[in-house]
Amino acid sequence: MANKIPRVSVREQDAKVRATNFEEVCYGYNVEEAQTEASRCLNCKKPRCVEACPVGINIPAFIHEVINGDFKKASSIIAEDSSLPSICGRVCPQETQCEGSCILGIKGESVAIGKLERFVGDWSLENNAKSVEVAPKNGHKVAVIGSGPSGLACASDLAKWGRCDCF
Ligand code: SF4
């Protein structure tokens, strides 16, 4: 399976510039880049990318909404399975997970799923988009020990369910 649209490269700071600062090297996609990259997805009926995602994000569905320009809906779709799209889009080993299983990668280049996830996560933060319904607080407090991915995800889910002022 091949795709005539080449994978959209992500813009990065020039090496000489990034040697002078502590800013993020990768700029991420802008809207046009994200929509072009999203348009490469074949919207597979049996999406191998989803099977390879540890949390089972509905990848073709959120990518479809990126094509539509409905970034809030894309964000809501991701939020069904992940609270950390800006982080996961940056640090997940996509090359061995979703992108490593993308059907386009068999004969060409996989869809840049991680960069698209990052784009949606960042858009959501920048636009203060509420991706999930949050239940009213029920007065109970929960202490989550540790601030790794599990602890953050647990705190996020508990907060969504109104069960904590996490600290
Ligand atoms: S496997 Fe690749 S082409 Fe197929 S739905 Fe997933 S991202 Fe799109």
Side-chain angles (χ1 to χ4, degrees):
M1 193 71 61
N3 194 315
K4 288 178 183 161
I5 307 170
R7 179 167 159 135
V8 178
S9 301
V10 71
R11 290 166 292 108
E12 294 182 341
Q13 284 196 62
D14 181 79
K16 284 184 182 157
V17 176
R18 72 187 188 224
T20 65
N21 67 59
F22 292 101
E23 302 298 319
E24 197 173 9
V25 172
C26 174
Y27 290 122
Y29 285 152
N30 60 28
V31 170
E32 188 183 358
E33 290 163 341
Q35 289 187 302
T36 303
E37 180 59 25
S39 72
R40 299 180 64 239
C41 176
L42 302 177
N43 199 8
C44 303
K45 278 196 180 149
K46 286 186 75 178
R48 295 157 44 116
C49 54
V50 178
E51 287 171 23
C53 173
V55 294
I57 292 173
N58 191 339
I59 292 165
F62 99 72
I63 288 179
H64 185 69
E65 296 307 333
V66 172
I67 297 170
N68 290 342
D70 193 341
F71 307 131
K72 186 170 184 197
K73 195 165 177 189
S75 175
S76 296
I77 291 167
I78 294 175
E80 289 171 14
D81 300 294
S82 171
S83 303
L84 309 166
S86 286
I87 296 172
C88 296
R90 285 171 168 80
V91 303
C92 269
Q94 292 101 6
E95 66 282 2
T96 58
Q97 296 179 342
C98 55
E99 293 183 22
S101 296
C102 173
I103 197 160
L104 288 179
I106 295 174
K107 289 191 177 175
E109 293 183 293
S110 60
V111 174
I113 300 165
K115 293 290 183 292
L116 292 173
E117 183 184 22
R118 167 190 164 140
F119 168 80
V120 172
D122 288 359
W123 181 92
S124 184
L125 290 172
E126 286 159 13
N127 291 279
N128 205 17
K130 289 207 165 78
S131 311
V132 289
E133 294 293 322
V134 178
K137 288 184 181 175
N138 64 8
H140 296 294
K141 290 188 177 184
V142 178
V144 177
I145 312 292
S147 55
S150 313
L152 291 172
C154 177
S156 170
D157 282 350
L158 286 167
K160 274 187 245 168
W161 300 333
R163 292 188 188 151
C164 69
D165 281 321
C166 295
F167 51 92

